[in-house]
Amino acid sequence: MYYLTRQTAFEASHYNRIPELSEAENVALFGAAANPNSHGHNYVLEVMVKGELDADNGMVINLVTLDALLKAEVLAHYDHRHLNLQHPVFSRNPHLQPTNENIAIEIWGRLAPSLPGGLLHRVRLYSATTQFADYYGEGQMVYLTKVYEFSAAHRLHSHVLSDAENRDIFGKCNNPAGHGHNYVMEVTVKGDVDAKTGLVAGLNLLDEAVATRVYARFDHKHLNLDTPEFETLNPTSENFVRVLWDALEPAVAPVSLHRIRLRETPKNHFDYYGE
């Protein structure tokens, strides 16, 4: 089985507002996105297809064919459009919010009929480099990811190993004075899209959880010296990603935490999906 991802982009404006709610209620729910004068994004769309190779041409799908489909079914309806006013689906239904989640589902519905046999695997929509939604054709289930960055120092040192063993295993990362990273953390939650809001999770839910459970505890801290979690636990990124999971999982309920990705350096990252 082969997986091929094709990327395209479009520019669009929109707003998120529920007509029967007051201005204050809309702002509380959607934040700045409730601005009735609209806002806009440079959206990036990734479409992943899967399948076996064609014996004659050696491809999963001809990219010319896929590009033509994206142009006809996506760009024609989204690029340089006001989604609430000019998109054929959202303009007819003011109660259907043009959120990342609903847009990803709508795009899947446009592409799937022309990609038969389970060829379409995933639609990923970025509204910013720090936020994207994944849809796999699973009813109303969408995976929402937000990206956060924080700074921390640590020293890789295991209390069950000798000093010589620690130096041998961890090398310069065992420096007694420590060293630091700009950690990049991706938090992915999953759930059914709320029919009223168009969201898997409230726009502020993840931000508030990360602010209280991650930034307040780990940002600009020395993990070995300032955090009780690492008083005896070696602060490898493998251990750290699980500590972050345990901190965030109860804070995002009732949404389900799906994955945490912790990028320690540009060369390596660590994924944890819970038990």
Side-chain angles (χ1 to χ4, degrees), residues 129-132 145-151 182-188 206-216 218-219 240-249 252 257 259-265 268-272:
T129 57
T130 57
Q131 183 169 324
F132 60 90
T145 299
K146 297 195 74 172
V147 184
Y148 302 90
E149 185 172 341
F150 61 95
S151 304
N182 288 325
Y183 289 99
V184 178
M185 179 181 65
E186 294 184 7
V187 180
T188 302
L206 292 184
D207 292 346
E208 292 172 356
V210 169
T212 58
R213 300 299 184 99
V214 177
Y215 289 163
F218 303 112
D219 187 34
F240 197 9
V241 72
R242 178 165 183 168
V243 166
L244 292 169
W245 176 283
D246 291 340
L248 285 173
E249 186 182 28
V252 301
L257 187 58
R259 185 199 69 178
I260 292 181
R261 169 170 290 177
L262 184 66
R263 190 174 298 277
E264 183 183 59
T265 75
N268 58 343
H269 65 258
F270 305 81
D271 291 342
Y272 187 66

Side-chain angles (χ1 to χ4, degrees), residues 16 38 67 92 99 114 120 127 135 160 174 221 227 254 269:
N16 295 123
S38 308
D67 284 346
R92 291 197 302 264
T99 58
S114 298
L120 184 56
S127 57
Y135 183 63
V160 302
N174 185 240
K221 299 291 196 301
T227 67
H269 65 258

Side-chain angles (χ1 to χ4, degrees), residues 20-268:
E20 60 268 25
L21 296 185
S22 68
E23 177 68 18
E25 290 171 324
N26 273 297
V27 170
L29 185 58
F30 297 113
N35 176 14
N37 294 322
S38 308
H39 66 286
H41 298 285
N42 292 323
Y43 289 96
V44 175
L45 174 69
E46 291 183 0
V47 174
M48 181 183 288
V49 298
K50 65 179 180 181
E52 300 298 337
L53 297 186
D54 183 281
D56 295 328
N57 61 34
M59 295 187 292
V60 175
I61 186 174
N62 190 318
L63 291 181
V64 173
T65 302
L66 185 54
D67 284 346
L69 179 62
L70 293 175
K71 182 177 181 180
E73 294 295 343
V74 178
L75 300 186
H77 300 291
Y78 283 93
D79 192 34
H80 285 78
R81 297 289 192 273
H82 189 297
L83 301 184
N84 304 77
L85 305 178
Q86 297 176 311
H87 188 280
V89 172
F90 297 111
S91 63
R92 291 197 302 264
N93 186 358
H95 291 276
L96 185 65
Q97 301 296 320
T99 58
N100 278 13
E101 293 93 323
N102 277 337
I103 294 172
I105 293 173
E106 203 278 332
I107 289 175
W108 177 287
R110 288 184 173 277
L111 298 179
S114 298
L115 297 169
L119 192 62
L120 184 56
H121 178 65
R122 185 191 71 196
V123 167
R124 171 173 288 181
L125 183 69
Y126 289 87
S127 57
T129 57
T130 57
Q131 183 169 324
F132 60 90
D134 288 328
Y135 183 63
Y136 294 86
E138 302 171 331
Q140 291 295 304
M141 175 73 72
V142 172
Y143 298 75
L144 177 67
T145 299
K146 297 195 74 172
V147 184
Y148 302 90
E149 185 172 341
F150 61 95
S151 304
H154 68 161
R155 179 198 185 197
L156 297 188
H157 188 87
S158 172
H159 295 284
V160 302
L161 301 175
S162 68
D163 288 347
E165 288 172 321
N166 273 291
R167 288 193 297 270
D168 182 57
I169 293 172
F170 300 117
K172 61 184 178 181
C173 293
N174 185 240
N175 173 16
H179 64 286
H181 300 286
N182 288 325
Y183 289 99
V184 178
M185 179 181 65
E186 294 184 7
V187 180
T188 302
V189 296
K190 65 178 180 180
D192 287 344
V193 177
D194 184 274
K196 184 176 182 179
T197 66
L199 302 171
V200 167
L203 294 179
N204 295 327
L205 175 66
L206 292 184
D207 292 346
E208 292 172 356
V210 169
T212 58
R213 300 299 184 99
V214 177
Y215 289 163
R217 294 161 69 171
F218 303 112
D219 187 34
H220 284 76
K221 299 291 196 301
H222 191 300
L223 300 181
N224 308 69
L225 304 178
D226 294 327
T227 67
E229 291 86 355
F230 294 107
E231 286 181 355
T232 59
L233 183 66
N234 191 16
T236 63
S237 287
E238 292 92 330
N239 279 330
F240 197 9
V241 72
R242 178 165 183 168
V243 166
L244 292 169
W245 176 283
D246 291 340
L248 285 173
E249 186 182 28
V252 301
V255 181
S256 296
L257 187 58
H258 174 67
R259 185 199 69 178
I260 292 181
R261 169 170 290 177
L262 184 66
R263 190 174 298 277
E264 183 183 59
T265 75
K267 296 188 293 185
N268 58 343

